[in-house]
Amino acid sequence: ETGVTQTPRHLVMGMTNKKSLKCEQHLGHNAMYWYKQSAKKPLELMFVYNFKEQTENNSVPSRFSPECPNSSHLFLHLHTLQPEDSALYLCASSQDAGNTGELFFGEGSRLTVL
Amino acid sequence: AQRVTQPEKLLSVFKGAPVELKCNYSYSGSPELFWYVQYSRQRLQLLLRHISRESIKGFTADLNKGETSFHLKKPFAQEEDSAMYYCALSGQGYGQNFVFGPGTRLSVLP
């Protein structure tokens, strides 16, 4: 599959659960991003990885823990979330975070926290 | 700090009418500006970028540094243009990341 792929597409979890979101890109890009999309703040940058190194943590609570094992894969580990964390989580990639290039987005993982 | 504003949350026009989606930005250096679009049930995707100076799907956008604006225009709206439109800014240099505006939902009525 080409482009940016996110799994699962939908996730429902309780506040005490631990789950992970996965993102994979087949574009040969070196930068990957997590965004949160909700009604309150449409597109909110969470984390940026460039060449597997985290270059941006946009004051995200520690209950969200990113992991980037290689340039093609990005995870978002979730634990003890709150209902207000329910949102669409978008992964994106670009050639690298230093160039002003185009972002390619996945379809998102819709998270519901009960 | 980088900031992008889109004053209209919702814009409704009739088919065939001109449409303009407003975008203003604040950035101390020379930014690169983008318009991204999200059609119903589709992923967010790039529509156009100011350095390309292209017309995509009949849309154009001109960067006005004096007014710090990057408004998106189309002379004759089509129903298939109905979507969510986001203006975005990227600063220059390493670590400068994309900042998106709040978005404008365009509804083109038949």
Side-chain angles (χ1 to χ4, degrees), chain B residues 42-61:
Chain B
Q42 293 188 29
R43 67 185 69 199
L44 191 61
Q45 59 188 289
L46 178 68
L47 178 63
L48 55 79
R49 56 198 298 181
H50 91 268
I51 61 170
S52 300
R53 304 184 70 83
E54 293 175 303
S55 173
I56 305 294
K57 298 186 179 182
F59 285 97
T60 58

Side-chain angles (χ1 to χ4, degrees), chain B residues 35-108:
Chain B
W35 276 99
Y36 278 78
V37 62
Q38 190 169 28
Y39 300 103
S40 179
R41 301 184 185 280
Q42 293 188 29
R43 67 185 69 199
L44 191 61
Q45 59 188 289
L46 178 68
L47 178 63
L48 55 79
R49 56 198 298 181
H50 91 268
I51 61 170
S52 300
R53 304 184 70 83
E54 293 175 303
S55 173
I56 305 294
K57 298 186 179 182
F59 285 97
T60 58
D62 291 319
L63 179 60
N64 186 324
K65 291 186 178 182
E67 295 183 357
T68 59
S69 68
F70 188 56
H71 303 327
L72 184 68
K73 300 177 184 179
K74 185 170 183 176
F76 308 103
Q78 304 298 315
E79 290 182 69
E80 55 265 30
D81 296 328
S82 296
M84 194 75 180
Y85 291 80
Y86 294 94
C87 184
L89 175 155
S90 180
Q92 292 181 325
Y94 185 83
Q96 297 288 337
N97 297 300
F98 283 77
V99 173
F100 284 86
T104 297
R105 182 166 297 283
L106 174 65
S107 177
V108 180

Side-chain angles (χ1 to χ4, degrees), chain A residues 84-97:
Chain A
E84 59 265 29
D85 296 322
S86 298
L88 182 68
Y89 288 85
L90 293 173
C91 176
S93 71
S94 68
Q95 188 59 48
D96 73 66

Side-chain angles (χ1 to χ4, degrees), chain A:
Chain A
E1 191 171 344
T2 59
V4 180
T5 305
Q6 290 186 242
T7 54
R9 294 292 310 279
H10 299 272
L11 178 63
V12 179
M13 60 187 289
M15 289 192 284
T16 58
N17 291 158
K18 285 186 180 181
K19 296 285 183 183
S20 296
L21 305 180
K22 179 183 176 182
C23 177
E24 187 173 357
Q25 57 95 1
H26 304 272
L27 300 167
H29 289 165
N30 296 303
M32 296 187 77
Y33 310 74
W34 279 116
Y35 280 87
K36 178 182 177 182
Q37 189 177 34
S38 64
K40 288 187 177 180
K41 290 188 179 181
L43 276 166
E44 191 178 357
L45 178 66
M46 300 176 72
F47 300 104
V48 182
Y49 277 82
N50 199 39
F51 293 93
K52 302 187 295 178
E53 298 296 321
Q54 187 179 125
T55 59
E56 185 85 18
N57 177 338
N58 204 21
S59 302
V60 180
S62 59
R63 57 186 184 269
F64 294 92
S65 174
E67 179 190 0
C68 188
N70 55 62
S71 294
S72 299
H73 293 85
L74 184 65
F75 295 89
L76 188 62
H77 303 300
L78 316 168
H79 61 98
T80 59
L81 295 192
Q82 305 298 312
E84 59 265 29
D85 296 322
S86 298
L88 182 68
Y89 288 85
L90 293 173
C91 176
S93 71
S94 68
Q95 188 59 48
D96 73 66
N99 288 326
T100 52
E102 177 182 353
L103 285 179
F104 291 80
F105 284 88
E107 293 181 288
S109 293
R110 173 74 61 188
L111 173 66
T112 303
V113 181
L114 302 175

